[in-house]
Amino acid sequence: MNKYRIWISPPHLSGKEIDFVKDAFDKNWITTMGDNVTGFENDLQSFLGGNSEVVALNSGTSALHLALMLLGVQKGDWVLCQDFTFAATINPVIYLEAKPVLIDSERLTWNLSPEYLEEAIIDCSRKGKKPKAIVWVNLYGMPAQIDEIQAIAQKYDIVLLEDAAESLGSAYKGQKCGTFGNASVISFNGNKIITSSSGGVFVSSDKALICRARFLASQARDTADWYQHSQIGYNYGMSNIVAGVGRGQMTVLEDRIVARRSINRYYRDVFASIPGITVHTEPDERFFSNHWLSCILVDPKQTDGVDCAFLREKLAEEGIESRFLWKPMHRQPIFENGHFYGEHVSDELFRTGLCLPSGSNLSTDELEEISSIIIKNIKRC
Ligand SMILES: *Cc1c(COP(=O)(O)O)cnc(C)c1O
């Protein structure tokens, strides 16, 4: 477990979590539902703003599974999904025995390419398979080209699912990520910008969807004096203990966003004069990233052959964790024979990119150490 001294994105507690957890114990209310669950949902609703409502669940993955079901995805349907992401975005499509159709990224935000999205819709429709839903991700906290994606969804009348697992606190044109899809999903897994230890939420401004999400997440019990079921349900609710951790974390969310953004700023400044290293950041002022993870692209042509794999090794030797960018889904053994629309953007990002330590509890000394190891290894060559 102690492979690294400096982790990529460890939990960063506020100290207040334990009070909310203790409250659950004091009230002997440690199961699903309860004051912490309601409190956490309310805190998030006020943070997200607008008409969004929130249902607390036991993971981001179960939230995605529920969201796809609620948006009407069924066995045999085709679902257009961002190719460059974590497998948890796509797996729930498979749980439903639907088929993921993978779409490449564009270079500005590294997210779903509107161009290939439209091409895929036209091509699938020509094959007699109009896609049932579109799933996009705001990867590493960076909002996607949301206006363009929404316009395409509207033009072809296809519902949108926003995987905002990594982008709590990010915004696009002033509106918070996690509020853009017909349904959206946020994760509170241990490595995200804030954590409830594990957990996720389903978000929508559609009251009927919210109501159905609560129903399905708690075993789909009909209104009756006995246990009556006319649909298949799930046990996806968030525990009141877990929600206590989440409530404690909500008290410091704004601080965590400031800290991660200043880490991105630090990396940008320190690598500005190093040829061959580009820090991923917002293309223009419409995009506001929480910079959940700060990522660099390394161009070996400008670094005398030093690549991201070499830098990753050198950092690991010093006890510092770094990570390749997500391996594209169409390159994963589980999705290898899937449909893919695009060129090689996701491939290229995977080949040339590295996520650097980005936790809000990183010290200035640690940031200096990380960047100097990278610079030293590039200059030596
Ligand atoms: C973390 C993550 C998920 C899954 O969330 P869990 O809470 O871990 O189930 C889904 N999609 C993306 C993009 C993620 O980063």
Side-chain angles (χ1 to χ4, degrees):
M1 272 314 278
N2 288 323
K3 189 168 171 207
Y4 296 113
R5 234 173 357 104
I6 302 178
W7 296 88
I8 213 160
S9 182
H12 185 184
L13 296 176
S14 67
K16 301 198 181 79
E17 294 80 7
I18 196 71
D19 300 333
F20 290 105
V21 171
K22 185 165 183 307
D23 181 66
F25 277 79
D26 290 346
K27 291 177 177 157
N28 194 33
W29 203 277
I30 60 168
T31 181
T32 46
M33 300 190 270
D35 293 346
N36 283 338
V37 174
T38 314
F40 185 48
E41 288 175 348
N42 290 340
D43 290 349
L44 274 164
Q45 257 162 238
S46 9
F47 178 81
L48 293 173
N51 307 319
S52 291
E53 283 191 53
V54 171
V55 181
L57 300 170
N58 59 11
S59 77
T61 308
S62 22
L64 286 162
H65 186 199
L66 271 188
L68 287 167
M69 272 191 275
L70 292 167
L71 295 177
V73 173
Q74 292 179 345
K75 184 174 175 173
D77 285 339
W78 289 13
V79 179
L80 303 173
C81 303
Q82 182 162 327
D83 173 62
F84 186 54
T85 185
F86 177 45
T89 308
I90 318 289
N91 285 339
V93 176
I94 307 291
Y95 302 164
L96 293 167
E97 297 181 72
K99 177 186 152 85
V101 175
L102 302 168
I103 317 280
D104 208 350
S105 289
E106 37 80 15
R107 286 172 200 279
L108 285 179
T109 73
W110 299 1
N111 294 307
L112 190 71
S113 153
E115 186 191 335
Y116 287 112
L117 175 64
E118 184 157 26
E119 186 183 311
I121 294 172
I122 293 168
D123 194 53
C124 292
S125 303
R126 202 183 294 134
K127 291 176 176 145
K129 269 292 195 181
K130 187 182 165 190
K132 192 69 189 230
I134 297 166
V135 186
W136 93 88
V137 191
N138 307 308
L139 218 54
Y140 304 120
M142 184 67 69
Q145 307 228 5
I146 296 176
D147 272 352
E148 288 79 356
I149 292 170
Q150 285 184 328
I152 293 170
Q154 200 164 24
K155 179 172 170 191
Y156 295 95
D157 191 26
I158 302 174
V159 290
L160 278 174
L161 171 53
E162 177 187 23
D163 182 348
E166 302 175 357
S167 55
L168 176 64
S170 302
Y172 176 75
K173 290 171 47 175
Q175 185 183 332
K176 293 274 181 4
C177 289
T179 66
F180 285 100
N182 295 86
S184 302
V185 159
I186 301 169
S187 167
F188 297 91
N189 187 24
N191 66 2
K192 300 301 200 281
I193 186 158
I194 60 167
T195 180
S196 56
S197 72
S198 68
V201 295
F202 173 89
V203 188
S204 180
S205 55
D206 181 335
K207 286 208 170 7
L209 285 188
I210 292 289
C211 195
R212 295 264 309 143
R214 289 194 192 285
F215 174 73
L216 289 180
S218 52
Q219 307 285 24
R221 249 188 96 182
D222 295 340
T223 319
D225 290 337
W226 48 88
Y227 277 74
Q228 166 97 11
H229 303 274
S230 45
Q231 281 175 69
I232 302 294
Y234 300 83
N235 184 8
Y236 277 178
M238 179 180 273
S239 130
N240 201 44
I241 298 177
V242 163
V245 180
R247 270 179 107 178
Q249 289 269 280
M250 281 305 289
T251 65
V252 290
L253 174 57
E254 297 286 2
D255 299 340
R256 301 301 184 252
I257 298 165
V258 169
R260 298 235 182 198
R261 285 178 56 81
S262 72
I263 289 166
N264 188 265
R265 177 86 253 172
Y266 179 90
Y267 285 133
R268 262 187 286 159
D269 290 344
V270 77
F271 295 133
S273 57
I274 309 295
I277 296 196
T278 321
V279 180
H280 184 43
T281 195
E282 292 97 335
D284 62 57
E285 65 288 344
R286 288 173 300 165
F287 301 85
F288 180 93
S289 174
N290 67 7
H291 288 301
W292 169 56
L293 293 186
S294 280
C295 308
I296 54 170
L297 295 181
V298 184
D299 176 6
K301 281 194 228 83
Q302 295 183 63
T303 58
D304 279 324
V306 171
D307 62 5
C308 59
F310 181 79
L311 292 176
R312 185 172 149 271
E313 253 168 55
K314 291 294 159 194
L315 288 165
E317 281 169 16
E318 304 293 333
I320 299 166
E321 185 190 22
S322 64
R323 239 188 246 165
F324 293 116
L325 304 189
W326 300 123
K327 182 172 179 183
M329 288 302 119
H330 77 286
R331 299 294 182 195
Q332 299 287 352
I334 42 174
F335 303 122
E336 234 161 23
N337 298 319
H339 270 72
F340 172 72
Y341 290 88
E343 31 181 340
H344 303 292
V345 177
S346 60
D347 280 332
E348 219 177 283
L349 291 169
F350 172 60
R351 213 174 42 240
T352 57
L354 205 59
C355 306
L356 298 180
S358 307
S360 43
N361 40 13
L362 271 179
S363 69
T364 313
D365 284 351
E366 288 171 327
L367 278 170
E368 274 171 23
E369 187 189 351
I370 296 160
S371 50
S372 66
I373 290 169
I374 292 173
I375 292 169
K376 187 178 74 191
N377 279 289
I378 284 180
K379 292 213 164 140
R380 193 197 291 151
C381 298

